[in-house]
Amino acid sequence: MVVKAFVFIEVAAGKSREVVAGITDLQQKRKEIQSVEAVTGPYDVIAVVEGPNVNAVGDLVTKNIQSVSGVMRTVTCLAMKLG
Amino acid sequence: MVVKAFVFIEVAAGKSREVVAGITDLQQKRKEIQSVEAVTGPYDVIAVVEGPNVNAVGDLVTKNIQSVSGVMRTVTCLAMKLG
Amino acid sequence: MVVKAFVFIEVAAGKSREVVAGITDLQQKRKEIQSVEAVTGPYDVIAVVEGPNVNAVGDLVTKNIQSVSGVMRTVTCLAMKLG
Amino acid sequence: MVVKAFVFIEVAAGKSREVVAGITDLQQKRKEIQSVEAVTGPYDVIAVVEGPNVNAVGDLVTKNIQSVSGVMRTVTCLAMKLG
Amino acid sequence: MVVKAFVFIEVAAGKSREVVAGITDLQQKRKEIQSVEAVTGPYDVIAVVEGPNVNAVGDLVTKNIQSVSGVMRTVTCLAMKLG
Amino acid sequence: MVVKAFVFIEVAAGKSREVVAGITDLQQKRKEIQSVEAVTGPYDVIAVVEGPNVNAVGDLVTKNIQSVSGVMRTVTCLAMKLG
Amino acid sequence: MVVKAFVFIEVAAGKSREVVAGITDLQQKRKEIQSVEAVTGPYDVIAVVEGPNVNAVGDLVTKNIQSVSGVMRTVTCLAMKLG
Amino acid sequence: MVVKAFVFIEVAAGKSREVVAGITDLQQKRKEIQSVEAVTGPYDVIAVVEGPNVNAVGDLVTKNIQSVSGVMRTVTCLAMKLG
Amino acid sequence: MVVKAFVFIEVAAGKSREVVAGITDLQQKRKEIQSVEAVTGPYDVIAVVEGPNVNAVGDLVTKNIQSVSGVMRTVTCLAMKLG
Amino acid sequence: MVVKAFVFIEVAAGKSREVVAGITDLQQKRKEIQSVEAVTGPYDVIAVVEGPNVNAVGDLVTKNIQSVSGVMRTVTCLAMKLG
């Protein structure tokens, strides 16, 4: 079973490009990162990630994504398949 | 593997008691609800729930808890065990 | 050239399931809707859509998605590929 | 009589892991800390604590938890058993 | 031991007077209400209450104060004597 | 005639104890400070003050209370006796 | 001694004109209302009022201004002459 | 001398199209409306207007634009040519 | 024709007195500043200014008032005389 | 086909003039910038830009406008022509 999450990312002023580049680099070693894109609207960047469970997603976000230079704050939204 | 979530609940004006009672009743048939308590602070009631996966938690919140009379809005926070 | 957008959706209390079902139905006739999922966090549902240009995305959101019963408010975030 | 509180914790950017580890260490000497977990959603970490009265909870939060490196802000929500 | 709380009250438009009068009436039977006053600032009315414990304060707020006509929302702040 | 005010105080991270102690010290020379307590909820500390008029309360808050180390921001709410 | 206050007023959608007219009418019998004007920015209308003391200003706002049709919410800011 | 303003408009759920159409109709008789467009982001529609002075802009917004069906709230931002 | 504006001012912690003094000094050379006062409520200081047009008000606020030591942020609200 | 966007800009305290000047300079080499003006209200400066597509607008905002000294945060709102 796979857990999918949208990770909304706020970046330091003027750092959208660096953050997108940094997370794109991460994709080499962390295949769970499906996509990462700069966006208009209340957040600066959105990454879509998948993992085997909630804890794996938590590890990916707190260990890897939050360590990218320019990342200020992340909000993780887990997708739920309602029965 | 078990997924644990804190469900923050905002209730209609003056309905904390009814909401706590309604979710306590739910505990009879939905054993995943570990606890439910009125609280001081930015939310009115907090329920702690567990389920086999994220989807089960989502079903519990959107099918059962959100149907309790007096519940206005819920915010679900999933616990993550960081490695 | 394709424009991609994340559409964050707030729904009426307890209507996440109906909104996901309603937008899933929409996918039959509006192929631009890539995915729709209930989520934890500050929004209730996220749809990912694509269109040939910004206006087409705007039409899809304001004509189709906002007409689904239970949708209260949408925030459209356009993905930007930075050069 | 026991007072129970949910302590919502905001942490410095990228410090969820250190804060959870720091409060877990605290549990050795402050048995009133029932649990501490990183969470998705509007806060980064939630600790559940118990004490003999409100003042003891206040001491625990302001003396011990707020002194953990990486803790930026706490919101204490006291559980109330309504009669 | 006594628990003291500040209860911040938001009232329906133009109802400050009625709410202050209603809570003043309550003081006849609920001696735990120390004072109630209309105030300038982010809230409309502040009541100061005392009780033997947190649960008693919770009962007073959710059973009595929230039942006063015109009360829209309350925020209860418990005083903590730090050692 | 006496003017009474609730002064809501936000403090720097982990400084509630110092701020309460600092304002308690102030009470020696500024008898207008009726009480000062750490609180749960949206603010960290609440002081209740009285003065002969609005200007005296303003002086007390801006000259004395805001000078206590650790005070970040104050919100002054004046009590009004409605006729 | 005179107390001066700025009363920030939020009005129902499209009712700025009626509220300004209503408070202008009030000026006939309540001479404490110095001015009332529609404004751009976070509030819709600002009234400047004066009274012999805080309670008189509170009466004016809660009895008279809040009773004007179209007034949704008021925020009263008292001017303080700092010594 | 001409005063220019950006009018940010929030509309009722699903009414962006009607509001844009309604303000476009207004342009027939109120030539001061330079443009009106649905937008992504925190507001739903932005109109750009010009008038001979601030009062004329105020009249246009409160008499005409706020009367269009579906308009919930407007925020008027006046352009300033800094010397 | 005269344009009148309320300038809401947020000041650095504990700097209300200095900001009021600084803007009072400004009144010597900028006669357009009608009044300046510390206030209770969501802002710290309110200045009332007048100028021949919007641009003059913008110059006064951005060149003079925002240069006063301790001023953190200003919100300018222009008065509109509705016809 | 042309994409038009309103770029709302928050600037560092007292830097509206420098930001407007800096973006005006940019107009020499980036013809996509239609206008830039200081404004009253929730934002400090608004630029109107046009580009051949969303990505070009994203490049202009993140590479050029966000690099202007004094720019703290931008919110990009894309205009949508609804069919």
Side-chain angles (χ1 to χ4, degrees), chain A residues 41-42, chain C residues 6-10 43 73-77, chain H residues 41-42:
Chain C
F6 296 88
V7 186
F8 303 161
I9 304 171
E10 297 177 15
Y43 300 96
R73 192 167 163 267
T74 63
V75 177
T76 300
C77 302

Side-chain angles (χ1 to χ4, degrees), chain E residues 26-56:
Chain E
L26 265 184
Q27 284 185 299
Q28 305 304 320
K29 59 172 179 170
R30 297 298 309 247
K31 298 302 185 192
E32 304 94 323
I33 303 173
Q34 306 293 307
S35 66
V36 57
E37 285 156 312
V39 288
T40 66
Y43 300 97
D44 302 299
V45 172
I46 296 179
V48 178
V49 304
E50 288 187 0
N53 54 50
V54 177
N55 299 344

Side-chain angles (χ1 to χ4, degrees), chain C residues 2 5 14 19 26 29 59 65 70 76 81 83:
Chain C
V2 163
V19 167
L26 265 183
K29 58 173 182 172
D59 267 346
I65 291 178
T76 300
K81 284 177 197 63

Side-chain angles (χ1 to χ4, degrees), chain A residues 10-19 44 70-72, chain J residues 10 61-62 65-68 70-74:
Chain A
E10 297 178 13
V11 310
K15 295 293 178 193
S16 290
R17 311 175 71 80
E18 286 83 338
V19 167
D44 301 299
V71 171
M72 298 299 283
Chain J
E10 298 177 14
V61 172
T62 60
I65 291 178
Q66 292 187 348
S67 302
V68 171
V71 171
M72 298 300 284
R73 191 167 163 265
T74 63

Side-chain angles (χ1 to χ4, degrees), chain A residues 14 20 32-34 37 41-42 45 54 60 63 69 76:
Chain A
V20 170
E32 306 94 322
I33 303 174
Q34 307 293 308
E37 285 155 311
V45 172
V54 176
L60 178 60
K63 260 197 205 144
S69 175
T76 301

